[in-house]
Amino acid sequence: MEKQLISYCKNPHEIYYLTMQRCRETMERKNTAEMNQCKRKVRVCVATCNRADYSKLAPIMFGIKNNPEEFELEVVVLGSHLIDDYGNTFRMIEQDNFDIGSKLHTIVRGEDEAAMVESVGLALVKLPDVLQRLSPDILVIHGDRFDALALATAAALMNIRILHVEGGEVSGTIDDSIRHAITKLAHYHACCTRRAEQHLIAMCEDHSRILLAGCPSYDKLLSNNHRDDYMDIIRSWLGDKVQESDYIVALQHPVTTDIQNSIKIYGLMLDALISFNKKTLILFPNIDAGSKEMVRVMRKKGIEQHPNFKAVKHIPFDHFIQMVSHAGCMIGNSSCGVREAGAFGTPVINLGSRQTGRETGENVLHVRDADTQDKIYHALELQFGKRYPCSKIYGDGNAVPRILKFLRTIDLNEPLQKTFCFPSVKECFSQDIDHILETQSALAVDLGGTNLRVAIVGMRGKIVKKYTQPNPKTFEARMHLMLKMCADATRDAVSLNCRILGVGVSTGGRVNPQEGVVMHSTKLIQEWSSVDLRTPLSDALHLPVWVDNDGNCAALAEKKFGHGKGVENFVTVITGTGIGGGIIQNNELIHGTTFCAAELGHIMVSLEGPECSCGSRGCIEAYASGNALQREAKRLQDEDLLKVEGLNIKQAEPITAIHLINAARLGNNSADAVLNKASTALGMGIVNILHIVNPTLVILSGVLASYYHAPVQRIISERALQSAQNIKVLTSELEEPALLGAASMVLDYTTRRLL
């Protein structure tokens, strides 16, 4: 055609311009095609093999589906999803309105070792045609099942990029070998815990391709566990007479490396549950080798006909969340017990070796050698009906946004060939990629007499963001405000790239840190006695919570961030509105039998001294606290003895301890006498402390610390035993000891547990 047009052009210039126009059009078409190629949607294929992995993959699938301008979702279903004996669970995928692109029948029945191997082979035969037809850019695979190994093998050999979810974990069975094999085949990794991330790095995976996301199922279970109709759901499975926390959820799978023993444990568990005589929802085991024998044991014991039991092949995940969340106990060896159940504080009994090596919260009681019915029954007696602090070891409810962000950063033009990072992890340094380097942080709460403060505190003591509100006078208003401020801070932490590990609360009064209960408050905080702070905070935020006295928190702050760092024995004394403190002995905080150790303000230094807020007389606090100095300043003012040249006090100005200190500095003898008595009382009290606990160091904290420093050091040198006269007194350099101490409870405990 072009030749015909050129033949009609007699003018050479016309031929030239026509040729140039054709070239420009060709280049424009090429550029448009390249731009379309750059802007095209990323085709993501999610492959799900069973009911368990779908609960983890479904939130990711919804996230991809809800971003159609960026992603194109394909769904492949295989494995036990398509087997009637296991509930035909592919139907729940259809009920979630996902279009299933391919259904592959890959399971060879037999439920033994040979059948598992044959199932992997059958999947490898069928998968190439499907993957070639769908031609995904990225294949998302979950976990450690033999079906997932077939998927990873096929995709790797067909040059398809693989994102592996929940790699790097340790569970103690053949699943470990399969999980780590998939890790070596996968190009990208979305792991759940810091320890799993370290395991992946130790396996020489590229740190820049590892995302610490958290478990995707937490996104759904943390948002859905507080349903108004939860009792309707529970009773739909266990009958109208069942009560909250008065039933058990049981889920036990075979251990493919120790089949006969796992079948024995299953029988012992059923016997113990029958004897325990509580309503029980029991789920059928998975399709691993040994499951057929376990079902035979269950039927031989008449579990399906027993009035206390409801045996089911499948339960929708939304309902399962409610059943686990409100159960009196969960028993078995399912990963759900050591992972998801912790988010609700549900007591768990983990039987056998299937989850050996998993990170667990306080809620899990391990019975690894479950060789007798009595041992399992005793575990039920110990655990049933308890509630534990909510744990977020495996996620904080924000995994899917992180995974979607990670998917957006994948460069489909980079080389497909994997590279491994040698040598070992000790010489690998963190890359500065924002979706990887989330700062491990704590949520710190300071319940003061005047203000309620909440802060996001980093691992090194940096306060990332602080929130301050006047502390309400009533209990209800105070709890409401505290929960709201903590919830706001938790939401802000995501955008600030901070991973909240837990909540630490510093409050006045006597505190039982083991239970998280304020037993008796100071007069500064009204309506604040016998208050359980841990439970409402943990339930609302799904985080572990620690609570302690503000004096103890000040000592912990010095131990982690201040002068007490690396010091084995020291005492912190707070000199503020009241007098308090904390004692560190052999690197541990001393609480005492009834949690009133280190009530330093109430050490008596006189038999007939001024009345103290505790009701006694002659306490250090009655002499040296801010309130005591203010009281004496007002007395001198009333007696017209506070006047001194250079001190101007306005008529309506309230009298404070600062006026007393300034008057003494300007030469007022009466003010100087008051402060000398206060300093002596404080110094004598500290001398008593030195003679009792013999610390290496005394740290003065609070607004009056700088004033008391020199007098206290002088009194120690004059009045203490010779062996204690050289003990140093330092002034704290920490600006926020209460917040930093509250944070240190979280950061020290969680770091010690995770490393």
Side-chain angles (χ1 to χ4, degrees), residues 570-619:
F570 70 90
V571 174
T572 298
V573 181
I574 301 176
T575 58
T577 307
I579 300 290
I583 299 172
I584 300 293
Q585 193 77 6
N586 297 323
N587 286 316
E588 294 293 334
L589 184 65
I590 303 300
H591 285 101
T593 304
T594 58
F595 313 109
C596 64
E599 284 289 353
L600 308 182
H602 300 292
I603 294 175
M604 294 178 65
V605 291
S606 171
L607 295 177
E608 297 297 334
E611 186 177 353
C612 180
S613 61
C614 70
S616 186
R617 287 185 174 275
C619 299

Side-chain angles (χ1 to χ4, degrees), residues 233-535:
I233 293 172
I234 293 170
R235 286 169 178 161
S236 71
W237 292 97
L238 291 176
D240 293 337
K241 294 183 180 180
V242 71
Q243 298 298 317
E244 181 179 2
S245 300
D246 197 36
Y247 63 90
I248 297 170
V249 175
L251 180 52
Q252 179 91 356
H253 300 303
V255 177
T256 55
T257 52
D258 193 7
I259 294 174
Q260 292 307 313
N261 188 49
S262 65
I263 295 170
K264 176 187 173 184
I265 292 174
Y266 188 65
L268 293 172
M269 179 192 76
L270 295 178
D271 290 338
L273 288 170
I274 293 169
S275 299
F276 201 67
N277 197 31
K278 290 290 181 181
K279 284 287 187 180
T280 301
L281 177 74
I282 183 166
L283 279 78
F284 276 59
N286 65 20
I287 200 168
D288 282 351
S291 60
K292 186 184 294 184
E293 289 82 353
M294 291 175 74
V295 173
R296 286 197 190 104
V297 170
M298 182 174 69
R299 287 177 172 156
K300 185 177 180 180
K301 294 181 183 293
I303 295 298
E304 290 173 293
Q305 291 77 39
H306 197 288
N308 273 350
F309 287 82
K310 178 66 177 289
V312 297
K313 296 175 180 177
H314 167 65
I315 177 173
F317 188 61
D318 288 350
H319 286 201
F320 188 64
I321 291 172
Q322 303 305 315
M323 298 299 296
V324 172
S325 174
H326 301 283
C329 180
M330 183 174 183
I331 189 170
N333 65 1
S334 169
S335 62
C336 174
V338 299
R339 297 168 65 97
E340 283 82 356
F344 313 122
T346 301
V348 172
I349 299 168
N350 179 52
L351 302 177
S353 62
R354 189 170 185 264
Q355 302 301 333
T356 299
R358 289 271 194 198
E359 298 169 70
T360 65
E362 298 175 43
N363 64 310
V364 179
L365 175 64
H366 296 282
V367 188
R368 294 193 173 93
D369 187 17
D371 53 353
T372 67
Q373 175 186 335
D374 288 345
K375 191 180 290 187
I376 299 173
Y377 188 91
H378 183 57
L380 285 165
E381 288 182 316
L382 289 173
Q383 285 287 76
F384 186 80
K386 283 188 177 181
R387 299 314 292 180
Y388 289 89
C390 299
S391 167
K392 280 187 164 183
I393 296 173
Y394 287 95
D396 60 3
N398 295 291
V400 172
R402 294 187 184 107
I403 291 172
L404 293 181
K405 181 179 178 182
F406 189 65
L407 286 171
R408 293 184 187 102
T409 65
I410 294 176
D411 182 4
L412 298 177
N413 295 316
E414 70 180 354
L416 187 66
Q417 176 60 49
K418 281 188 67 170
T419 56
F420 299 101
C421 295
F422 299 100
S424 66
V425 64
K426 290 183 179 179
E427 297 184 23
C428 291
F429 298 94
S430 298
Q431 313 295 309
D432 70 351
I433 297 177
D434 58 1
H435 55 255
I436 296 173
L437 291 183
E438 291 184 303
T439 305
Q440 293 188 85
S441 305
L443 210 58
V445 180
D446 176 27
L447 281 156
T450 305
N451 291 322
L452 197 162
R453 302 184 302 155
V454 174
I456 301 170
V457 181
M459 186 62 75
R460 296 184 179 180
K462 178 184 177 182
I463 295 180
V464 180
K465 189 170 183 178
K466 185 165 63 177
Y467 311 75
T468 304
Q469 293 287 342
N471 201 347
K473 300 300 181 185
T474 65
F475 168 79
E476 291 80 7
R478 189 177 300 127
M479 289 299 300
H480 176 75
L481 178 61
M482 181 169 54
L483 290 170
K484 181 181 182 302
M485 291 174 71
C486 288
D488 291 344
T490 303
R491 282 192 296 270
D492 291 346
V494 177
S495 60
L496 293 169
N497 221 32
C498 294
R499 179 177 291 273
I500 302 297
L501 301 175
V503 183
V505 182
S506 167
T507 180
R510 188 160 65 100
V511 176
N512 179 344
Q514 297 171 5
E515 302 293 336
V517 173
V518 181
M519 303 174 73
H520 301 291
S521 73
T522 64
K523 291 183 179 180
L524 299 175
I525 309 177
Q526 301 171 16
E527 297 185 22
W528 208 241
S529 295
S530 300
V531 175
D532 180 1
L533 287 181
R534 173 182 287 174
T535 300

